Amino acid sequence: QIQLVESGGGVVQSGGSLRLSCAASGFILADYAVGWFRQDPGKEREAVSCITSSGGRANYLDSVKGRFTASRDNAKNTVYLQLSSLKPEATALYYCAAGRPALSALRLPSMYYYWGQGTQVTVSS
């Protein structure tokens, strides 16, 4: 069964850190690019970070550059997103997704085949 499971979300104060994990089962995550997306109720899902299958390239939303870092451990079939210096506006449900988008389409949710159920991140001021 193909599955992506996120974990690591929680409630943290402004300025704090969290590390999100995205564990895959039923397929080889190393064969796919992985995107991290977030969504607040009533808002569109937005791409926070996208990392290529090799892990050699990662893109970030401008507002999180320098504070969020994506990485992957292909031996563990897992991708991570380190969230640092968190701000209240980062509060959202965070999803990971696997796909094979072109480099120009890394931020498009429609380019991803498999999605996790999401993990909630709440940053208090």
Side-chain angles (χ1 to χ4, degrees), residues 98-110:
R100 292 175 173 153
L103 288 177
S104 60
L106 284 172
R107 296 186 175 186
L108 298 179
S110 59

Side-chain angles (χ1 to χ4, degrees), residues 12-36:
V12 64
Q13 287 189 334
S14 182
S17 299
L18 288 170
R19 189 175 82 154
L20 307 184
S21 298
C22 171
S25 59
F27 70 106
I28 300 173
L29 193 58
D31 291 340
Y32 296 83
V34 175
W36 285 96

Side-chain angles (χ1 to χ4, degrees), residues 28-61:
I28 300 173
L29 193 58
D31 291 340
Y32 296 83
V34 175
W36 285 96
F37 296 82
R38 66 187 180 190
Q39 188 168 23
D40 246 352
K43 295 184 180 179
E44 288 190 359
R45 189 169 296 189
E46 66 176 353
V48 176
S49 175
C50 307
I51 187 167
T52 56
S53 57
S54 67
R57 176 172 174 168
N59 295 336
Y60 298 94
L61 186 67

Side-chain angles (χ1 to χ4, degrees), residues 29-113:
L29 193 58
D31 291 340
Y32 296 83
V34 175
W36 285 96
F37 296 82
R38 66 187 180 190
Q39 188 168 23
D40 246 352
K43 295 184 180 179
E44 288 190 359
R45 189 169 296 189
E46 66 176 353
V48 176
S49 175
C50 307
I51 187 167
T52 56
S53 57
S54 67
R57 176 172 174 168
N59 295 336
Y60 298 94
L61 186 67
D62 284 346
S63 61
V64 306
K65 284 180 181 177
R67 299 186 296 112
F68 290 11
T69 304
S71 61
R72 60 192 309 158
D73 185 339
N74 289 333
K76 294 184 177 179
N77 225 26
T78 300
V79 169
Y80 305 96
L81 184 67
Q82 177 69 42
L83 286 60
S84 302
S85 301
L86 280 162
K87 302 177 181 179
E89 52 263 39
T91 295
L93 188 61
Y94 284 70
Y95 299 89
C96 66
R100 292 175 173 153
L103 288 177
S104 60
L106 284 172
R107 296 186 175 186
L108 298 179
S110 59
M111 295 291 106
Y112 292 81
Y113 311 140

